[in-house]
Structure formats: structure tokens, C-alpha cells
């Protein structure tokens, strides 16, 4: 277990994530879990009234009606009281202006995924962040699981040999009916192109799947061939996708995602096959990682158990058999950002085992993936070039 | 458990399947398991010497040096002694001439899959079989599992509503190295285009996957988009394939197969998602079928347990918890063919719950699927028309 | 796959196992599966009429009205036609007289479990069999599973170190209601002390559990402490048991069995913990064996997969991933007996990897276990001496 | 997700749980996770130097050298700053004096399990707590899992009918060697009778198992029969136990626990069989609960999924498929205590769905169970009366 820092927690502000917003509460809990952050300021909703009410309900010290007011208000405070970082947990279309403004102002940014709507916006954020030197994290939270870090280290250390095939799936069933017509805030914005972006399921969950491949395998995409479908009548964005992948160097892959797969809850599963062995992981049973070396029996590695890499161990709070799960993985990102922020403040190098989190590279590459997937889906050509210039 | 028939077993001849041939022994055991068949004649190898030696090793009554000699020899016997059916368990390229000759002679045929090398051959077999009126089974053995029959009945009875997405995978790892150079008879012919046909993994296991979709869902393929790969250097046929599927009526699908997926043994898995629920089945744990009705918890149906269809029950020998497996499923096909053959001999309708087995329709459609998959793989167009004219 | 012997199958007679008798069909299928045996004679029921009708329904060559008639009839035949062995698949109370008579006559015996009602009967059978020199197998069929043989070899070779704790469970739910009043032949005799013996669940399934411990660990029981319960009102024998075990040398154990455990089908599960590691096996998923070496990840060994002992490999017909199950394990016993019988006839030593089957030692020890368990259950003393004098 | 309270978190003090103490960090994280508590004071170690160093390392506002000093110091503060509750996370022998003193002083108590060393101490605590009226929780944390609450509600609502058999196991392997000689603080005190109490594994984990039975089934123990073993040479307390249970009303049970079960991590598993169905739950996969209604397929209920009781839903933060685990379950107790404390302060009834936590009844009954188990283990009588007078 991480000790709470003697120097006390860092100060966090939040944009979005008011009452009824599922992901806001997740971020707040993740930030709080290790005692690394304390939420001190917020502009928690898109309407000033609800923003103020949400802040009051949370007992927030500094509640602002808008993110612009929050930025101004925080900048007006002495630096010893000002927020160290802002968490952006709004619907997708709000990410860009908020992230740009806070980054420009030198406030570190933790932004939900997918990063923004377009590659142009992503490039602009990368430019701004490079200029101001802020830490910028994108909460692809599944990369925070300890066994995903071990999987990455296994691949990097050659345990699987050369990668041949990658299969990643992310299946949910909650949008199998037209929930967006039934007063579901979650469904509403995710199926609205103006807020969600050019893709539905591909942006919301397919982008997690893409990031998981990139994190674990380090492979670079070369081309893809996508079949996007909207199964629910009247829906305006894809709710199902099947994508063939070709990687530079010859590996092949398949990325499947669906939000109409009844019976599936949050089934993010990764399989990687190489010339020396394979691995498999399932987010719904995140404390186990299956590894089969060539010509040997299947091994089930467990979080906290024997044989894990240093990074996997560093991301672990509890002994084996005492399961950790979604919130702990999410908290690993907040802990990683805290380490990066503190290191910068203290003028030292961050602990590389702790300061691990997806950043603007992941964020921008994810946007590019979404764009190329949609482009491929509309094309009659089999393969769409998907090399990321980033 | 099936009772052995008082009238005694039917007489079976076999072509191929001599010593060292894995699948020949499987067929013999499956034929024998329920006491429905007795092997009385064989031309068990492609060389007369080995054919005779294999027959002697098995203690066969009537051993022939070639299939031509067997056909002649059997036709020369009185009909009360002649074989009722021939099992063709040779490498693929031998299926066609043998099946045609025996079918023409009025001997029922049980032929391994894939049926033949070309659609033209398949059409010719269909013509011949229709003319002579023989029973003709193609041993897509996975369709013999009781819970696959229940899955089919669930879909047919509307338990899943309208099908939206089908995912079928068939993963093996045994060809991850160049086994065909290491004196493996199994690997040798499967990777040789002259014997295996135009496809490797797609023909050997992908065709099983296609047949499983067709059996369970009844969907008709409209178009497909295939990416076939040969990962092992020097190999002449595909050893990995990823195929996107579009079905008539709007359902989508994905068919994955690989023989280089290290760590996988014989991982044939089917998932079907509809508007009212979903199902999932895994050949390596064939006594369980997962069914999730919409808005209800996951149910695990078990072979022999409550809630199974009449056809699933009829395909079952043992009580729940006493697992049945590969050979029993295979034997269900032999039992089904026996019922069809007996019914024909007795001038009655066969018991529809028993006389279930893939036939020339499955066989010909499978060949068409293989051809279209290879065609698509070579094409730059995304979608290749895959409607089966049959 | 076993080749059928060129010398042809051995001749089997059967006592009991007529129509509606579940276990008779299991024995017949197991005997037939590898082509090692052919059923030629039978006295298949306790009433002459049903015995003859059952024989006719099976198309048996030689059907006898009683087992006495069968014994006389077979002895009257030339030795080249006489049955090689008799399978006794009657309710328990018939085992003793039939087994004694056939063994005395020099006919090999395959007898269902539990062997007999009393240790005195078991001793008498051992005396008779020793005198006549017949092969005598007791069909504790679960010991026929390949991975049970591997588990035994793992323990014997020291992979687990010194055994500390053994947990075996055998849970079923089919007798949770008073099925014996509902015209269930299976339930009727099993709950009748005159036919089943002094114990219900303990005799029917607990004895399998005891034999599994003995087979895998080789431990010798020292004392036991049993709590037998009859949950279903009106039932005359135990339908649930929990038994603490102490083994010679200091290991401890727990044996649980129940036939009123609703939701369980045939849940025979074994766990063995030693100073160097542990193993776990579940009959309902018999193609996997879990082995955890000390300080290492869990390994899942698979039937047909890498790392198996010679005996486990010899008990296997199919490649990994092509599951085998209950009937194949049962058939391994019939194959083992066939090898022992043939070796005796041929004056050679049997192949030790094949000729593996539980014998009168297992049978007699099992009867002693049942007696001691019932004795303990009636005692106020905690520990009942359970050392087997055999 | 729980909203952080607008009135701000409650103030928590902690006794024990300094650096290197696994469980102290767990309590702190659980307390913090929902924002219901803030740690403001601590006497974190048994030596003043380490207590102060631990407090400094955590950045605690009010660090005391001893728990006596903390009690005095907090009582000296104005009530608006004083700690609301104390968490006692020391080795067992310290629980009693600290709990008595703080309860007497009117400070609410959250005490780790097992509560105390003797029933006399437990009775004294109950007397004191009743007198002062404090809230007193005992952190049997596994009862905080949402699906354990659902299991309890299923039983209470009759879904299983009358309970017949309960099987609970708690297996660990971490004490399979003499870790207490290898500088392991955790192993050291747990195997020392002066600090741990009369039992080893039975007290440390068996007591969790007992509490789980009581919580879920509501059954009252009548008698037990225990076999306690010390497998590791030189160890002074039991490290393995097998206990037969008889409940009032006729149900039977088995409680197994071991800390030398190599290969097991934290395998707390519960199975309950009744006349109408059964349930099963495994702490290592806590987001699933298996329920088999009589004559129906197995259902797998999921945390966050359909069909859960109000209490199970109230204990849940995340949607189905987003797993929660050990810390979230632990936090449910802290959330429950917070609700009870707030309700008391506000003069209202606590929300019954939230204010759920084990209390002195569980604590005292647990101590009684430990005493009776040890007594039985030393007895030659089979059954030891285990009715709890409490």
C-alpha cells in the first residue's frame, strides 16, 4: 500500500463530473484512493446552476459556475493554494478547449479519453503542452492494471518471441436498445456526433482496445480494414465494429468492439500470440494473466503472486488473493501523474516504476485510429493506411 | 445410452485411415461407440502394401490394396454382406474420386471435411448422389455436440431474437513451427496445396467454423472480407485467417482461425448475439452452454441438465455431470447416418431427432466458403460476394 | 488411439445391466469403445423374463434367464467360445454371489463398486480369486482418467513433497427429494439397505472419493471421524456425509459427499497439498489438472498436452484440446483388464502402462472404509480406528 | 458512486498500523475511499519512536507516542475537533484495552478481528459499549462484499428453502514454511500465542469463515468437532483446521481453513445448499455469485447486474463488468459505520441499507467459536457444545 505523502496531497480541480455523471465519481475516488490528491475546486457541470449545486453536494471548497471561471479563479490564487492539476471528465467535445486553456496556463492536465474530436486538435494540444511543459495524462485506465504492465514487460523482454497475432475485444451490451431515448445521460451524449465525435462504440471503447494493444505490444499500425455497424434503429453513430489490423513488421490483428452485445458487461479481453508463446487477459478477472510458453503448460500469473515484473509489483497494493480491481487500476494513473508532478516540482527525475500513465502520444494516436477506422468503414478499398505520423 | 440394435450393426468400409492416421482411428471409434456400425472392409492406405498391413493390424476381415479393388470386391458380394456405407478419411484430394465412385454404385458415403477441392467437384457429387439416392454425410463433427443442437434450437425458437453479431474462432497452435519438415504426416499433407486444396487453416479448421455458424444460426452469407496469412516461413498455404462476414438480412460476423496460435489447443468457440439475448459455447468445455437472456443473469445450461431441447437430449448418453466429449459428438454423426440408412432400408421416415448430420449441402457450401475466402484474400476490394448459389 | 487387436476382441458376459439400467449401458459402451471386448452373453436382469427381453433387445447371441444359467451355459461351451470375463453390474447385494461363482470357475471378473456388503465377503472374494488366479477388477472408473494417473505420478515422484492435506468432495443433487418414491429404479435400490448395504451416499459415491485419495496419494488411513446425515424424510440410508481423516504419517484429510447438494451434478473434486506444491482436479472438467509448485505460478496441465507422465499419455486417445471424458476413462479400465487377460493367456507380463485398474485390494479397502465410516458416525468417540488390515 | 458528504468527512484516529503493517494501510485506504473519513490522529506503533516516525511519514496532523496519550490528547480537544472514531488495527492482544478505554470515553470504535482473546473480554466490551452507547464495528471485511449481502438476502427471502448444508473454506499458503523465523512481522505475531490468542489459523482466518456463515445463513451453531493441526515444525499454534458443524434446526456444515495450503492465495469460498436451491461464492472472484434454483440451470449473478437486492445495490459503486474488489468491500464497512455515527449525531435512524457492518455480536460470537474449536480439538468426545449464550 502506498503511504500517504508526508507533504500532503496535491490539489486537484475538476471540470465536469457532476451529479449523475458516472465517470466523475470514478475519477474522484481514484484520485483520493491513495491519498495523493485532494479535490479542492470544480466546475462540475455545463450549466452554472448544476455546477454550483454539484459542488455544494460534494462539499467542495471552491465551486465555480464555469470552467473559464475556475481557470481565472485559480490563477488568481497564490501558487501555494492553486490547483496542481485539472481533471477533465466532460463529454468528449469539451475536452479540447478546456485542456488547451489549462495547459496554456501551466496547469497539469488529466483528460478523459478519447482525447479530442480531430487529429488537428490533438496536434494543437501536443504543441501547447510541449510549450508550457505541463504533465498531460489521458485516462486510458485499463493500462493501469498491474497485470497489463506485466504483460507489456513480458512482451518487451521477449518472452513471447516475435508477435504474430493480436486479438483484442471490448464487448458491452448496455446500448442494445435505444437507451438514449430513455433519459439516460450516459447514452445520450455518447450517441450524439456533436458531443461524442465521429465514432460511437469505436471512440468510446474501441479506443481503449487500441491503446491496450499499443501499450502491451508496442506494435505500430500499418493499415486497417473496418466494418462499422449501427444496429439500433435511429442511432446516429456506430454501436458495433469489427476491424482487421496489419502492423508494421508483419503482425496481424483483430479489434472487435460492440455496445449491443447483450450478456456482455465490460468484456475487454486481450490475446497476444508470438513465436515463443502467448498471453491472455480479461478485464473482468483482472487479477489473473495467462501465459503459455511454447511447449509448456499454461501458467496463471496472479497480481501479487510470484514472477511479476518490478512495474507490476509497484502497481500493486495488496497481497495475492486479495483482489484489486477497476478503481485501483484507475488510481494507478492518478498516482503516476502525482509522481510526475511532484518530480517536476522537486526538480528530480520521476520514479519510472510509478510515473506510468498514458499521455498525449496515446491520446493523439487514439484519435488518429478513430479517424482511420471511420474512413476505412466508408471505403470500398480493403486496406486503409493507418500509419500514425506522430 | 443407445441400446445396440437387435438387428445388429451396419457394415462399414473405410478408405484411408491406416496406421498413424489420427482421424481414421477417430472414425472407427465413433462408428463403434454406439454399436451401430461394424468395420468389415478397408483400403486403409494409398499404397497397397501399407493398406494391407494396416488392415492386418486391425484384424479386418476384408482388406483391399486400393479403394478401386474394394469397390469392386464389395459389389461382387451378395447384398447381405456388402458394406452399407463407406467412410472416406483420406487427405482431401482423394475425397472426390472415391465419393463419386461409391455414391454412383449406390453405397452410402460418410466423407471427411472439407468435402472436395472445388465447387465444380461438389456440384458433381451432389448430382451423383441425387441420382443414386444414397445417404451422404460430411463429418463436420462439432455439429454433433448436444449443446450445439440446443444452441441451434434456441436460435430457431427465437430465444435470442434477431441475430446481430456472430463471432466464431478456431485456434490451434500445433503448426506454429514448420512441423511439415519434421516428419509429421498430419502437417505434411495439410500444408501441401496438391492434397489440401487452395487453403490451409481456412480449409482445415475455418470450414468447421463456417459450418458451426450455419448450423446454429441458419444465417446465409452475403459477403466476406478475408485476410489470410502464412506466418511460418516456407509454408505454402495460409496458417492464419481473419474474416469479416456480412449475412443476408444485416447480421454481421467475424471468423478467426489460426494454426500458429501457440498455447491454444483446439479452441473452437462460438458466440451469437441477438436482440433478445446471447449464447456462448467452447468446444474444450463442451458440456456447458452459456445463455444470457436480456436483462437477466447468465444461465449455464449443461448437457443432461434441465431445459434442453428434444434434439439435445436425444444426442446425450449420460446424466449431467458425467461429461461427454469429442468422440461422443463424433459418434452422434455415425448414429445419425445409421438411422438414415436403416430408415431407407426399412422404407420408413427416419427419426428426425436422431438422423441429424451435415450433408452435401454443408459440404458444398463449405467448399464455396473456402473458395470465396481465398478469393477475397487476394482482392483489394473490401467485400467479396459470398452468396452461395446452392 | 488404440488399434483394434488383430486377434480380435475378447468375449464378455454381463450380469445385470438390462434395459433402463444406466450403468449397464455405460459398461457396454466402455467395453466396446476401443474394440477390445465384444459382448456375447448376458443374464441382464434379476427376473428371467426381463433378462431374456433385455438380451433380445440388444441382439445378444447368448441370452440367459439367470446368472447361474449363464455360468453353467458358458462352462459347457468349448473354451475357445466361452466368455473370457464377466461384468457384474447389478445392485450391490448381487455382486458377492456372482463374483464368487465366476471367479471360482476361473472366469475373470469385472465388478462394479462398492465391491460387496461386508469385509467378510470381500475377504472371501480375495481368497477365491487368489486360488483360481483370475483377474479381478473393480470399476472405480474415475481412476481411469489420464490426469488422475498423472496426478498419482506427480505425487509418487515427489513433486508435491510430503503430503499434508487432502480434500476430496463428491457432490450430487439428484436425491434432494424422495426420488425413490417416484418410480426411479436408480434411487430405489440405492436407498434400500437390503440392496445397497449399510451406507447410502457413502457407499455409492463416498467410496469413489476414498479410492481416488488412495490412488493418487498412496496414503494409508489411520482414523476417521464421520458425520452421516439423512436429510430427506423417510429415507433409510445416509444421503450426506462429512468425514475427517487422519492418515498414517501425519497427513490430514477431509472427505465430503452428498446426494442432496442441489445444483451439483457429479462434482468429484480432489485437492492435495504438500510441502512442495499442490494439485487440484475436477471430474466435470477432466481434461485439466492444476499444479502449483511452491513459489511458482499455477500450471494447468492438459490431457494430451506437454509434461504428462508415460501412464497418462498411454491412457489418452486424442490430441490436446479434443476432450475426452467419462466413457473414455471408463474404457481405460476395460482396456487395462483386456491387457491383463491377454497377457495371462499369452504367458507374458502385461504392459504396466496399460494394465492399470482398481482390483480386489481397492474393492476390499473400500468396503472397510464404508464400514468404519458408518461405525464412526454412530460413535461418540471422536476418532475411530480405520487402519485397514488388508 | 457515493458522493462525498457536503458536511465533510468524519475524523478518524488509528491505533497500530504503522509502517510495514499491511492491515493499517488497508484500513486507511478503505476509510478514505468514499471520502467519508479523514485520518487526523494516530498512535501507530507499539513503541513511541516508531509511532512518531510512522505518523510523520504519513503526514498526520496529530501523532501520539502511545494510545493512552492519544486518548488523553483527543479528549482534551474541543468536541468539534476530537476524533469521531478510533480504528484499532494492532495485533490481537492489544484490541481489548484500547477498545475498552475508547468506548468508555464515548469514542466510536472500529476494531479488527478477532475481537479479543477471551469471551470474558468480549462480554466486558459489550457491557462497556452498551453503557456508553458508542457504535462498535468489528472488521469482518468479507461481509462487506455486495454479493455476500445479496446471498444473505437470497437465503433470508427463502430462495434456497430450508438450509441443509453449508461448506466454507478459507485456504492460504503463505505460512507453509516457518516464515516467523524469517523476519516476517505478519507471521511473527500471528504464530505467537501471547499476541494472537489461543488459536492460529482458526483465529486469523477461520473466524472470518464462521462470520461469513452467520451473516449469510443466520444459522445458529449447536455443536462442533474440530481437528486442528500444526504442520510446520516448531510453530506454536495451529496452521490448519477441519471442523464439522451442526446447527440448531438440523443443518450440517463444514469449515476448513489452512495457512499451509500451498498454491492457495486467499481462497475464502462459501457454498450453501438448501431444499430449493444452492449458492456459491468465491472471494477471489467476488463479482460473481452462483445461484442454482432447483430444477433450473445455474445462474451467475454479477455485482451491478440484474436481479440484485437493494442492499447489494447500495453496496455497489460501479456498473457491472467494472469489477470492485477487496478494498471496496472493506470500504463498505467504513461507509456503514460513518452512516451509523452520523445518524447518531443527527438524532435520526440510520439508513438500513448503508449502515451494515459486523458489530460486537459478531465479535463476541467469533471469540466463542474460536474457544470452542480449540476446546473440541483437545477433546476425545466427538461433539463439543458450541451454542453461543450471547
Amino acid at each position: 500500500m502506498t503511504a500517504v505523502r508526508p507533504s500532503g496531497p496535491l490539489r486537484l480541480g475538476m471540470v465536469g463530473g457532476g451529479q449523475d455523471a458516472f465517470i466523475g465519481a470514478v475519477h474522484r475516488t481514484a484520485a483520493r484512493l491513495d491519498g495523493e490528491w485532494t479535490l479542492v475546486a470544480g466546475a462540475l457541470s455545463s450549466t452554472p446552476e448544476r455546477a454550483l449545486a454539484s459542488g455544494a453536494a460534494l462539499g467542495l471548497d471552491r465551486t465555480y459556475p464555469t470552467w473559464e471561471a475556475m481557470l481565472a479563479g485559480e490563477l488568481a490564487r497564490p501558487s501555494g493554494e492553486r490547483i496542481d492539476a485539472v481533471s477533465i471528465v466532460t463529454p468528449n467535445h469539451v475536452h479540447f478547449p478546456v485542456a488547451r486553456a489549462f495547459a496554456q496556463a501551466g496547469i497539469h492536465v488529466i483528460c478523459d479519453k478519447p482525447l479530442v474530436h480531430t487529429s488537428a486538435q490533438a496536434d494543437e494540444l501536443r504543441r501547447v503542452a510541449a510549450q508550457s511543459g505541463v504533465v498531460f495524462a489521458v485516462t486510458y485506465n485499463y493500462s493501469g492494471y498491474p497485470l497489463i504492465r506485466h504483460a507489456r514487460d513480458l512482451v518487451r523482454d521477449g518472452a513471447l518471441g516475435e508477435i504474430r497475432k493480436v486479438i483484442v475485444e471490448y464487448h458491452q451490451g448496455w446500448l442494445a436498445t435505444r437507451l438514449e431515448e430513455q433519459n439516460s445521460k450516459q447514452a445520450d451524449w455518447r450517441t450524439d456526433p456533436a458531443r461524442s465525435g465521429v465514432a460511437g462504440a469505436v471512440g468510446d471503447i474501441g479506443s481503449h482496445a487500441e491503446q491496450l494493444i499499443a501499450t502491451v505490444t508496442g506494435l505500430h499500425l500499418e493499415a486497417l480494414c473496418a466494418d462499422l455497424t449501427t444496429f439500433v434503429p435511429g442511432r446516429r453513430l456506430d454501436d458495433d465494429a469489427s476491424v482487421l489490423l496489419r502492423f508494421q513488421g508483419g503482425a496481424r490483428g483483430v479489434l472487435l468492439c460492440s455496445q449491443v452485445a447483450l450478456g456482455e458487461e465490460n468484456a475487454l479481453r486481450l490475446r497476444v500470440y508470438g513465436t515463443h508463446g502467448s498471453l491472455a487477459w480479461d478485464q473482468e478477472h483482472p487479477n489473473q494473466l495467462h501465459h503459455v510458453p511454447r511447449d509448456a503448460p499454461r501458467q496463471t500469473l496472479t497480481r501479487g503472486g510470484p514472477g511479476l515484473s518490478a512495474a507490476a509489483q509497484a502497481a500493486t497494493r495488496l497481497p495475492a488473493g486479495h483482489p484489486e480491481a477497476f478503481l485501483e487500476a484507475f488510481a494507478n494513473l492518478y498516482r503516476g501523474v502525482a509522481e510526475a508532478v511532484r518530480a517536476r516540482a522537486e526538480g528530480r527525475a520521476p520514479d519510472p516504476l510509478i510515473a506510468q500513465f498514458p499521455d498525449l502520444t496515446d491520446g493523439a494516436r487514439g484519435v488518429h485510429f478513430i479517424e482511420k477506422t471511420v474512413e476505412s468503414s466508408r471505403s470500398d478499398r480493403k486496406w486503409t493506411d493507418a500509419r500514425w505520423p506522430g
Side-chain angles (χ1 to χ4, degrees), chain A residues 104-388:
Chain A
Q104 272 174 336
I107 294 174
H108 305 298
V109 177
I110 299 164
C111 184
D112 217 318
K113 44 49 60 185
L115 180 63
V116 285
H117 277 192
T118 68
S119 280
Q121 293 173 334
D123 289 342
E124 166 70 0
L125 285 188
R126 297 171 82 194
R127 197 190 56 74
V128 167
Q131 204 162 44
S132 70
V134 294
V135 174
F136 198 118
V138 182
T139 52
Y140 284 113
N141 53 289
Y142 299 109
S143 66
Y145 274 112
L147 290 177
I148 285 298
R149 296 188 175 177
H150 185 69
R152 174 201 63 192
D153 295 346
L154 268 181
V155 171
R156 187 196 57 204
D157 297 348
L160 302 196
E162 191 182 341
I163 303 304
R164 286 172 166 172
K165 184 90 176 260
V166 183
I167 303 175
V168 63
E169 318 170 26
Y170 197 156
H171 287 125
Q172 301 179 329
W174 69 292
L175 288 176
T177 57
R178 202 164 173 195
L179 207 58
E180 58 267 43
E181 301 289 288
Q182 293 163 51
N183 218 7
S184 160
K185 185 175 167 175
Q186 299 302 320
D188 184 34
W189 75 257
R190 278 182 174 80
T191 57
D192 174 9
R195 286 175 284 172
S196 190
V198 292
V202 166
D204 195 33
I205 58 176
S207 62
H208 274 298
E210 183 276 338
Q211 201 270 340
L212 208 62
I213 293 177
T215 292
V216 170
T217 70
L219 291 171
H220 297 280
L221 205 55
E222 182 173 280
L224 55 76
C225 170
D227 188 20
L228 270 57
T229 308
T230 302
F231 277 113
V232 173
R235 183 163 289 162
R236 289 174 292 165
L237 289 170
D238 59 283
D239 49 26
D240 182 277
S242 302
V243 190
L244 305 182
L245 308 174
R246 287 187 162 184
F247 298 99
Q248 295 171 35
R252 295 289 191 271
V254 181
L255 184 154
L256 308 178
C257 66
S258 183
Q259 295 184 308
V260 300
L262 276 178
E264 303 286 6
E265 296 181 336
N266 199 43
L268 174 60
R269 301 183 191 120
L270 176 70
R271 288 175 279 174
V272 183
Y273 301 97
T275 53
H276 295 177
S278 64
L279 61 81
W281 181 82
D282 175 356
Q283 191 270 152
E284 295 186 358
H285 297 280
N287 293 282
Q288 283 82 36
L289 175 70
H290 303 281
H291 172 214
V292 194
R294 190 170 64 194
D295 301 326
R298 174 172 300 248
Q299 296 186 355
T300 303
L301 294 149
T302 56
R303 190 203 45 76
L308 297 196
S309 71
Q313 291 183 46
T316 290
R317 292 160 189 80
L318 298 172
H322 300 68
E324 295 188 33
F326 184 89
L327 289 170
E328 288 76 30
F330 216 114
N332 282 337
L333 301 195
Y334 270 90
R335 196 161 65 106
V337 176
E339 170 61 11
V341 167
R342 289 185 201 276
R344 202 156 298 190
E346 298 165 12
R348 59 173 173 84
D351 181 338
L353 293 180
I354 302 296
Q356 300 193 353
F357 50 86
D359 58 15
L360 278 173
T361 299
D362 294 87
R365 197 194 57 243
V367 172
H368 182 258
F369 168 76
I370 295 168
E371 289 172 332
K372 288 298 172 180
T373 299
V374 171
E375 176 185 331
S376 167
S377 190
R378 293 172 180 159
S379 169
D380 289 337
R381 282 173 298 124
K382 185 184 276 180
W383 296 107
T384 294
D385 187 330
R387 284 173 296 174
W388 183 50

